[in-house]
Amino acid sequence: MKPSPPDPLFALGVIAGLALGVFVGVSMGNVAYGMPIGALLGVVLGVIMSRAGNDQQ
Amino acid sequence: MKIDAVHTARPSIYKPLILALLLVFFLAATGYQAISSGIDYTLVVGVFATRFLGIFVEAAPFLLLGSITAGLIEAFVKAEDIWRLAPRNRLAATVMGAFLGLVFPVCECGVVPVTRRLFNKGLPVSLGVAFLLGAPFMNPIVFASTYIAFGFGPVFVSRIVITILVAVIVGMVIGAFAKPSAVLKPVAQEQDHSHEHQAPAGTRAKLLQALQIAADEFFEMGRFLVIGAALAALMQTLVPQESLLALGEGPVLSVLFMQALAYILSVCSTVDSFLALAFVNTFSTGAIVSFLSFGPMVDIKSTLMFTGVFRKRIVLYLILLPFMLNLLAGVLVNFALGF
């Protein structure tokens, strides 16, 4: 039910969020600037993808 | 029945989706406001990012330590051992809980997963709550940092006494009316039971299980840490300390201000003494003591972690009771030392 670490969809969501964060950071001139939004988006996307995956099973 | 219902219910994706949309909307609105008012938004974002990373990087190793401890408890400690060691008398059990941090040295980031595991092993509620509130200070690392920062004086002694008293009182109050099943959220109980069914026999297998649980715990609590750290960083960036400083005068308001600051800053208990040292000449001793005793018990990031593990009503008690007791203690210290 919860997004557990072995869930590849959760990990994929986290990576996607962090990648978006890096993109935001680079576009602002400093990668570190994008890290907070990247981490937050990572958590949110991880949960969304994990739950969406669970719903389909 | 209630737990069964939770077992079968599928969590919807709409909640995190709405959260994501709100996040994007908030960032867009803040960015637009910053640009239109002529503020250098990269400076604001830079401060926010630095504070976020500061809180997160500082807390993550301790969360990992707490998660590993929780995994080891789950794999190696039996429920019978807890029952055998915990005193039957509630007051004795609660006092033991307040001192348990000396055995499990965890700060406020790591104490939540450890407490959850101990609760699921049948730990009495009063003992667990006292441990949850007391352990972030009652451990050798924080003793040492407080001693180095303030020496053996009124701040050091008051911090110990107030932490023990508040932890014991809150433990007794919550333990008086709440059963272990009424403290934890059903999902937290469900997760732990799933591990119990597959208890391995050998030491190697148990170690592997402990690591697996630790990883699980770290990612579960890490979510709340990320959100809590972001909220704390946001508050620090948007609410300038100078404007609050003017409010924090007098024996009562100074304590209230420092409690609010401790909650917002969400500094790890291992280093908060050095931060408090900067306020010594500005604020009363009661306010400093209140900052040092309330901060490790409750702050933004630990509140977020509480909500992931405990029921809403318990979270409310875990915030309000320490807040009021620490306020009272801080004001009393101020009057005792002749504010």
Side-chain angles (χ1 to χ4, degrees):
Chain A
M1 287 310 208
K2 66 179 185 55
S4 57
D7 187 348
L9 284 171
F10 179 71
L12 201 66
V14 171
I15 292 166
L18 285 173
L20 279 171
V22 169
F23 176 72
V24 171
V26 168
S27 63
M28 290 180 75
N30 190 334
V31 177
Y33 288 0
M35 283 300 105
I37 186 71
L40 282 168
L41 280 175
V43 168
V44 173
L45 289 178
V47 173
I48 289 173
M49 291 183 76
S50 171
R51 286 185 181 175
N54 281 339
D55 279 345
Q56 284 184 351
Q57 280 171 14
Chain B
M1 286 296 277
K2 208 173 176 184
I3 291 177
D4 285 346
V6 173
H7 276 231
T8 50
R10 282 195 180 281
S12 112
I13 63 165
Y14 294 111
K15 236 173 162 180
L17 204 61
I18 290 167
L19 188 72
L21 286 173
L22 278 176
L23 192 74
V24 171
F25 175 75
F26 174 77
L27 286 168
T30 316
Y32 176 75
Q33 198 189 10
I35 293 166
S36 58
S37 58
I39 299 170
D40 183 5
Y41 76 97
T42 51
L43 189 74
V44 178
V45 173
V47 171
F48 171 69
T50 308
R51 285 178 174 161
F52 170 83
L53 290 173
I55 297 169
F56 184 77
V57 170
E58 184 185 65
F62 291 101
L63 177 63
L64 184 64
L65 192 71
S67 302
I68 292 171
T69 312
L72 291 172
I73 288 171
E74 184 63 35
F76 288 96
V77 179
K78 291 178 189 159
E80 304 89 73
D81 297 336
I82 301 268
W83 276 106
R84 195 162 42 82
L85 293 171
R88 292 285 164 268
N89 179 287
R90 185 184 291 156
L91 180 63
T94 316
V95 173
M96 182 183 159
F99 285 91
L100 209 60
L102 297 169
V103 183
F104 298 112
V106 283
C107 75
E108 75 267 27
C109 319
V111 75
V112 180
V114 174
T115 311
R116 170 161 70 170
R117 294 290 159 182
L118 288 172
F119 271 142
N120 277 289
K121 291 283 179 187
L123 191 78
V125 171
S126 56
L127 199 160
V129 171
F131 170 67
L132 182 76
L133 298 177
F137 171 62
M138 295 298 291
N139 72 64
I141 305 161
V142 187
F143 275 161
S145 68
T146 312
Y147 180 76
I148 291 165
F150 290 96
F152 190 81
V155 173
F156 184 77
V157 175
S158 306
R159 191 180 189 188
I160 294 179
V161 173
I162 292 171
T163 303
I164 294 171
L165 279 178
V166 173
V168 170
I169 292 170
V170 179
M172 289 293 285
V173 169
I174 295 181
F177 65 84
K179 292 179 197 164
S181 58
V183 172
L184 292 180
K185 282 169 90 172
V187 179
Q189 293 173 32
E190 170 203 8
Q191 181 200 349
D192 288 345
H193 289 312
S194 67
H195 285 299
E196 271 174 22
H197 293 306
Q198 29 175 304
T203 310
R204 190 183 146 83
K206 276 186 176 179
L207 270 175
L208 279 174
Q209 190 207 18
L211 284 177
Q212 196 182 8
I213 294 167
D216 204 23
E217 201 73 66
F218 182 77
F219 280 91
E220 164 105 18
M221 286 292 116
R223 287 188 292 159
F224 297 103
L225 180 63
V226 167
I227 298 168
L231 275 177
L234 198 69
M235 291 294 284
Q236 285 181 37
T237 312
L238 297 182
V239 184
Q241 283 180 34
E242 297 78 30
S243 63
L244 288 174
L245 219 69
L247 301 171
E249 288 175 355
V252 180
L253 279 180
S254 64
V255 177
L256 266 174
F257 167 76
M258 285 303 270
Q259 280 187 294
L261 197 67
Y263 189 80
I264 291 171
L265 290 182
S266 302
V267 185
C268 184
S269 60
T270 49
V271 293
D272 61 358
S273 302
F274 300 104
L275 185 74
L277 205 56
F279 294 106
V280 164
N281 294 325
T282 320
F283 289 100
S284 58
T285 309
I288 301 286
V289 169
S290 210
F291 174 88
L292 291 172
S293 50
F294 179 66
M297 290 182 185
V298 188
D299 58 30
I300 292 181
K301 64 180 175 352
S302 59
T303 302
L304 261 289
M305 286 181 174
F306 288 169
T307 56
V309 174
F310 301 109
R311 287 173 191 267
K312 276 180 194 159
R313 201 172 63 159
I314 298 295
V315 174
L316 203 65
Y317 286 132
L318 284 173
I319 298 168
L320 289 180
L321 287 175
F323 171 75
M324 289 188 290
L325 290 169
N326 274 297
L327 174 65
L328 184 69
V331 174
L332 286 176
V333 168
N334 272 343
F335 283 116
L337 295 176
F339 180 81

